[in-house]
Amino acid sequence: MAVILGPNRYGKAETRVVRVVRDGGVHHIKDVNVSSALSGDMDEAHLSGDNTAILPTDTQKNTVYAFARKYGIDQIEDFALLLARHYVGSQPAVHHARVEIEEYFWDRIPVQGPSGERHSFVRSGREVRTCVVHHDRDGTTTVLSGLKDLVVLNSTGSEFHGFAVDEYTTLQPATDRILATEVSAGWRHVSDGSPFGKSYSEVRRCLLEAFAETHSLSLQQTLYAMGRRVLETRGEICEVRLAMPNKHHFPVDLTPFGLDNPDEVFYAADRPYGLIEGAVLDDDAPAARFAWE
């Protein structure tokens, strides 16, 4: 039996960097978490311990800090593109770079008085913005934007019935239930020249509006409606992938206490939960050159 080395990559995970832009007394915060992974002509590092082709992961970390100072951080997709192109362009052994960034939002704390200083912030309860950029030595680039931890809930307007049953089925059909989920979404851009900031806010708006406006017969139906709304609204997007766990809310039986419960008091169960995943794409979307992972 022959033993060979399979696909491999290496990089620096979770380089946390906070960039402060000081505009007089008004400050602006960018808080991001950057992970990079490089692959290419690096087999000898595994096979013989020859590290000639290896750019140290510590160097990748330092590059993030240096680029944050030299170029600033505006849209995370643009910053990821800058890093990915640098790694591939500066290192002959690197044939492919993957850069993933998470962005955490901060809200400005209102300040009373005439000073005009604006440098106090509170961590936002919003979702986390994400992106993954793939860049290859042949110039092929894929930009995947996204979000996670977007928690949404409809207190009515959701049903689930007509499902398959067998000897182990105990779930009762529902014609009115709470529908809650924590959305993780990723969307693929047609090109790497999209207006990433506007695109993000508009895709987020489409996802939320479709969730709110869909009378749901299943979480699968809602997922499709959300992805379809994005594609029908935003021409720069060709594919949307969604993962939506069903955050179950069960009515509490209050009869032992002599009380009724007209769907007002619920128990929010965190596990186990149904996990619904799916992709929605244009029928003429170009094939994805690189994996989403």
Side-chain angles (χ1 to χ4, degrees):
M1 179 183 67
V3 177
I4 63 173
L5 177 67
N8 58 87
R9 64 186 183 186
Y10 80 103
K12 197 68 165 183
E14 300 198 33
T15 299
R16 187 70 177 271
V17 56
V18 176
R19 179 68 153 84
V20 180
V21 176
R22 304 174 188 274
D23 183 12
V26 179
H27 296 180
H28 306 273
I29 294 288
K30 274 287 185 175
D31 184 355
V32 300
N33 197 22
V34 182
S35 297
S36 55
L38 311 179
S39 57
D41 187 13
M42 306 171 187
D43 289 0
E44 285 305 315
H46 291 269
L47 299 176
S48 66
D50 181 352
N51 295 320
T52 304
I54 299 299
L55 182 71
T57 66
D58 189 67
T59 303
Q60 296 175 46
K61 174 202 69 179
N62 293 339
T63 303
V64 172
Y65 294 141
F67 276 34
R69 175 66 184 96
K70 290 174 65 175
Y71 304 108
I73 305 173
D74 186 14
Q75 303 305 316
I76 57 174
E77 293 88 349
D78 289 322
F79 192 63
L81 283 164
L82 193 67
L83 289 166
R85 289 167 176 159
H86 167 77
Y87 293 135
V88 173
S90 65
Q91 299 296 318
V94 177
H95 298 172
H96 181 87
R98 177 190 186 275
V99 178
E100 178 178 4
I101 301 181
E102 297 180 346
E103 179 179 359
Y104 313 108
F105 295 103
W106 291 83
D107 295 328
R108 194 178 304 281
I109 299 174
V111 177
Q112 302 297 322
S115 67
E117 293 187 352
R118 300 291 185 271
H119 53 247
S120 299
F121 301 84
V122 59
R123 177 69 179 267
S124 172
R126 285 183 54 181
E127 76 283 355
V128 175
R129 180 176 174 178
T130 65
C131 78
V132 177
V133 164
H134 292 272
H135 181 66
D136 212 55
R137 179 163 292 279
D138 65 7
T140 303
T141 304
T142 299
V143 180
L144 310 171
S145 297
L147 55 80
K148 65 179 183 178
D149 303 335
L150 181 67
V151 181
V152 292
L153 181 149
N154 283 331
S155 56
T156 190
S158 174
E159 307 178 32
F160 189 60
H161 50 79
F163 46 81
V165 298
D166 65 11
E167 65 269 31
Y168 303 112
T169 301
T170 59
L171 184 68
Q172 296 301 305
T175 57
D176 188 12
R177 64 172 185 169
I178 287 179
L179 181 66
T181 186
E182 183 178 294
V183 180
S184 295
W187 48 92
R188 179 159 57 103
H189 294 265
V190 175
S191 74
D192 58 10
S194 292
F196 296 115
K198 180 176 177 57
S199 182
Y200 180 83
S201 61
E202 288 298 299
V203 170
R204 182 181 187 273
R205 178 183 62 81
C206 289
L207 293 172
L208 291 176
E209 288 181 355
F211 178 82
E213 295 170 6
T214 300
H215 183 95
S216 179
L217 299 179
S218 67
L219 190 51
Q220 288 90 333
Q221 178 199 14
T222 300
L223 180 151
Y224 178 72
M226 293 167 69
R228 180 174 180 174
R229 179 74 63 91
V230 171
L231 294 178
E232 290 178 341
T233 306
R234 304 304 305 174
E236 75 275 17
I237 308 300
C238 63
E239 182 177 5
V240 181
R241 296 196 179 191
L242 293 151
M244 298 169 58
N246 201 333
K247 299 287 189 177
H248 299 294
H249 289 67
F250 300 112
V252 178
D253 181 9
L254 299 177
T255 56
F257 318 119
L259 299 171
D260 65 353
N261 185 11
D263 287 335
E264 292 183 354
V265 180
F266 295 86
Y267 165 63
D270 63 347
R271 64 194 63 181
Y273 53 85
L275 178 58
I276 313 304
E277 300 175 294
V280 186
L281 62 160
D282 288 334
D283 59 2
D284 60 351
R289 167 82 178 273
F290 306 118
W292 280 72
E293 291 75 20

